[in-house]
Amino acid sequence: MEYKLRKVEEREITSGILKASFKMWMDTVEADVVIVGGGPSGLTASKYLAERGVKVVVLERHLSFGGGIWGGGMGFPYITVQAPAHEILKDFNVRLEEVEEGLYLANSVEVAAKLGCGAIDAGARILTGIVVEDVILKENRVCGVVINTYAIEKAGLHIDPLTIDAKYVVDATGHEASVSNILARKNKELKLEIPGERSLWAEKGENSLLRNTREIFPGLYVCGMAANAVHGGYRMGPVFGGMFLSGRKVADLILEDLKKGR
Ligand code: 48F
């Protein structure tokens, strides 16, 4: 390696970034599936959809993906995962340690990083710093999302949003269930009751999560903690088997729907 860099002009840097960004955004005006939230459930779903050739866009409010996974339990950087969901982490090349029969430990920083890598390598597009502030609702179906930048949201500026058309939208926004809440709040005639999550009961929360992972309104699926928040399920703390399996389930449900041409 020669330790001498090529000369570079400022305009080359700027025009290179703009050219790539506009090309990417022009290709993001519509997608098969928009997943809102780049936490464990959303990233898992995105990998299993993208590797089957589905055009997937993950929109994440913050500049980094991973959601609630980075900090493990109260800042101790490990999460627990129950069988058979550890098989999903194997698909992402995450290293696991079996601590009890069928119960595994994984380092939370490694999980967050590898979920993102796995999703990107499978072909999912992850856009960070983007907030979903509404949905497109036509003829009793969610058919896309309304987006703005996190910087604009945080500054409180009144700037009109842009949109992304989608065949399916997935609310993977965690405890907030923000997409489902927006739909319910703005469209009272739909009579969508969203009770929010209950207190912590790991076993119950994990099991109900999988039942609650489903299409809650035409075009809108919920997965991850959002699925329990929408149905009044329990929270579960730093046990993540349900999150990964919920992401996998929503991908399978959507693949089935796409196959049927719904
Ligand atoms: O909260 P989060 O990690 O969701 P999850 O996949 O996993 C939950 C676990 O982390 C944990 C748990 C396990 O025991 O309960 O909490 O269900 O990730 C949700 C992501 O969605 C983003 C948010 O920044 C976070 O990274 N998000 C929320 N609302 C929006 C959003 C929005 N309106 N637009 C874009 N991103």
Side-chain angles (χ1 to χ4, degrees):
M1 168 72 74
E2 195 193 349
Y3 293 103
K4 189 164 183 299
L5 292 164
R6 169 197 185 278
K7 271 173 67 178
V8 68
E9 300 290 340
E10 286 74 9
R11 79 180 149 68
E12 293 179 294
I13 301 170
T14 302
S15 63
I17 289 172
L18 289 181
K19 216 184 282 172
S21 302
F22 279 111
K23 188 162 171 261
M24 185 204 72
W25 273 107
M26 284 304 289
D27 187 49
T28 309
V29 180
E30 54 186 341
D32 293 324
V33 182
V34 166
I35 296 177
V36 189
S41 64
L43 290 174
T44 302
S46 73
K47 172 188 161 67
Y48 291 115
L49 285 165
E51 70 186 14
R52 296 287 293 276
V54 175
K55 184 174 174 185
V56 188
V57 178
V58 179
L59 301 174
E60 168 53 49
R61 168 182 274 131
H62 293 122
L63 278 184
S64 61
F65 52 74
I69 216 162
W70 291 100
M74 208 184 79
F76 296 106
Y78 284 87
I79 59 162
T80 50
V81 182
Q82 327 82 300
H86 70 296
E87 296 292 344
I88 293 175
L89 285 186
K90 284 189 190 166
D91 286 348
F92 284 90
N93 297 316
V94 172
R95 291 168 297 182
L96 299 160
E97 185 191 339
E98 192 170 18
V99 273
E100 303 281 345
E101 201 187 328
L103 186 68
Y104 297 81
L105 276 178
N107 178 275
S108 58
V109 175
E110 178 177 344
V111 173
K114 289 187 173 170
L115 285 182
C117 289
I120 293 165
D121 286 348
R125 176 169 292 157
I126 303 178
L127 297 179
T128 59
I130 301 295
V131 180
V132 170
E133 60 166 63
D134 205 344
V135 294
I136 306 174
L137 180 65
K138 287 186 194 172
E139 288 159 8
N140 214 40
R141 185 177 177 89
V142 168
C143 24
V145 291
V146 177
I147 57 168
N148 226 320
T149 69
Y150 181 42
I152 288 173
E153 180 193 68
K154 206 166 165 61
L157 300 175
H158 184 124
I159 297 183
D160 268 327
L162 293 176
T163 56
I164 301 176
D165 282 8
K167 292 179 187 145
Y168 298 100
V169 173
V170 179
D171 184 350
T173 60
H175 301 262
E176 288 179 61
S178 57
V179 180
S180 311
N181 271 304
I182 290 165
L183 181 68
R185 194 182 68 238
K186 290 199 167 188
N187 305 283
K188 299 273 190 267
E189 77 286 358
L190 300 179
K191 296 193 177 8
L192 290 171
E193 293 291 326
I194 304 211
E197 71 186 29
R198 301 183 71 179
S199 293
L200 195 146
W201 187 347
E203 179 64 15
K204 283 234 177 204
E206 285 288 269
N207 284 320
S208 66
L209 186 59
L210 298 169
R211 282 196 304 279
N212 293 337
T213 299
R214 63 183 191 90
E215 189 176 30
I216 58 158
F217 184 78
L220 178 64
Y221 281 83
V222 287
C223 74
M225 197 55 217
N228 269 7
V230 162
H231 294 93
Y234 288 90
R235 64 184 301 205
M236 65 292 288
V239 58
F240 277 76
M243 293 301 144
F244 302 127
L245 217 47
S246 169
R248 173 86 209 218
K249 181 177 175 187
V250 87
D252 287 343
L253 292 172
I254 292 174
L255 284 168
E256 205 46 45
D257 276 355
L258 285 168
K259 209 158 67 186
K260 286 186 212 143
R262 281 215 310 140

